[in-house]
């Protein structure tokens, strides 16, 4: 397994990340979310979170352990390695985490019923948070 990399987030006030390996996507990714977002049907408040693989799911947990959300995930690949990044879909004032990437490897989160209903009402605005 490739060693741990340490990066700095550039967008949305996110402070830093730790990403392990290229083949093991998204292990212990530390993020600072400046505004609330939704994962697996649960809305999480702004704050610091750790994102990690958990079986066939992705777990998002606040650093203080008070808030946790899980979502089913599917591995995805891109022909371009674009660094570590988070992809959100925004419908009005609701933000849904939909993808997490490290290089050309990533995970796609399964949309919840709420997200699918929002998508029927209005088009999504895709927001990307890049990390270095």
């Amino acid at each position: 397994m490739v060693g741990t990399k340490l990066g700095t987030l550039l967008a949305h006030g996110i402070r830093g990340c730790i990403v392990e390996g290229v083949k093991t996507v998204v292990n212990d990714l530390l993020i600072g979310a400046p505004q609330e977002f939704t994962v697996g049907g649960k809305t999480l408040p702004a704050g610091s979170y750790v994102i990690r693989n958990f079986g066939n799911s992705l777990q998002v947990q606040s650093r203080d352990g008070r808030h946790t959300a899980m979502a089913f995930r599917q591995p995805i690949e891109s022909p371009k390695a674009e660094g570590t990044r988070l992809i959100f879909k925004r419908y009005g004032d609701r933000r849904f985490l939909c993808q997490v990437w490290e290089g050309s490897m990533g995970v796609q989160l399964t949309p919840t019923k709420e997200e699918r209903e929002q998508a029927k009402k209005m088009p999504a605005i895709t927001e990307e948070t890049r990390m270095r």
Side-chain angles (χ1 to χ4, degrees), residues 19-72:
V19 179
E20 184 179 322
V22 174
K23 294 193 178 196
T24 305
V25 178
V26 190
N27 271 334
D28 295 344
L29 177 64
L30 176 62
I31 68 165
Q35 55 191 348
E36 72 179 20
F37 62 104
T38 302
V39 176
K42 186 170 183 180
T43 300
L44 302 172
S48 295
Y49 290 88
V50 177
I51 299 176
R52 64 177 58 97
N53 278 317
F54 196 80
N56 64 348
S57 298
L58 195 73
Q59 179 188 54
V60 180
Q61 183 175 41
S62 61
R63 290 193 64 196
D64 65 9
R66 294 178 60 203
H67 306 283
T68 302
M70 302 278 289
F72 288 111

Side-chain angles (χ1 to χ4, degrees), residues 26-122:
V26 190
N27 271 334
D28 295 344
L29 177 64
L30 176 62
I31 68 165
Q35 55 191 348
E36 72 179 20
F37 62 104
T38 302
V39 176
K42 186 170 183 180
T43 300
L44 302 172
S48 295
Y49 290 88
V50 177
I51 299 176
R52 64 177 58 97
N53 278 317
F54 196 80
N56 64 348
S57 298
L58 195 73
Q59 179 188 54
V60 180
Q61 183 175 41
S62 61
R63 290 193 64 196
D64 65 9
R66 294 178 60 203
H67 306 283
T68 302
M70 302 278 289
F72 288 111
R73 64 172 181 81
Q74 295 288 332
I76 52 177
E77 293 184 50
S78 172
K80 296 179 357 181
E82 296 185 43
T84 303
R85 59 201 191 282
L86 305 174
I87 309 296
F88 295 90
K89 288 186 180 175
R90 184 168 55 86
Y91 302 93
D93 62 350
R94 300 294 311 260
R95 295 174 74 225
F96 296 86
L97 181 62
C98 65
Q99 294 178 352
V100 180
W101 289 90
E102 168 59 16
S104 62
M105 305 293 291
V107 293
Q108 171 79 45
L109 303 183
T110 303
T112 62
K113 181 179 179 183
E114 179 187 7
E115 185 177 349
R116 290 189 306 269
E117 288 172 359
Q118 291 289 326
K120 290 177 186 177
K121 296 177 189 176
M122 67 185 83

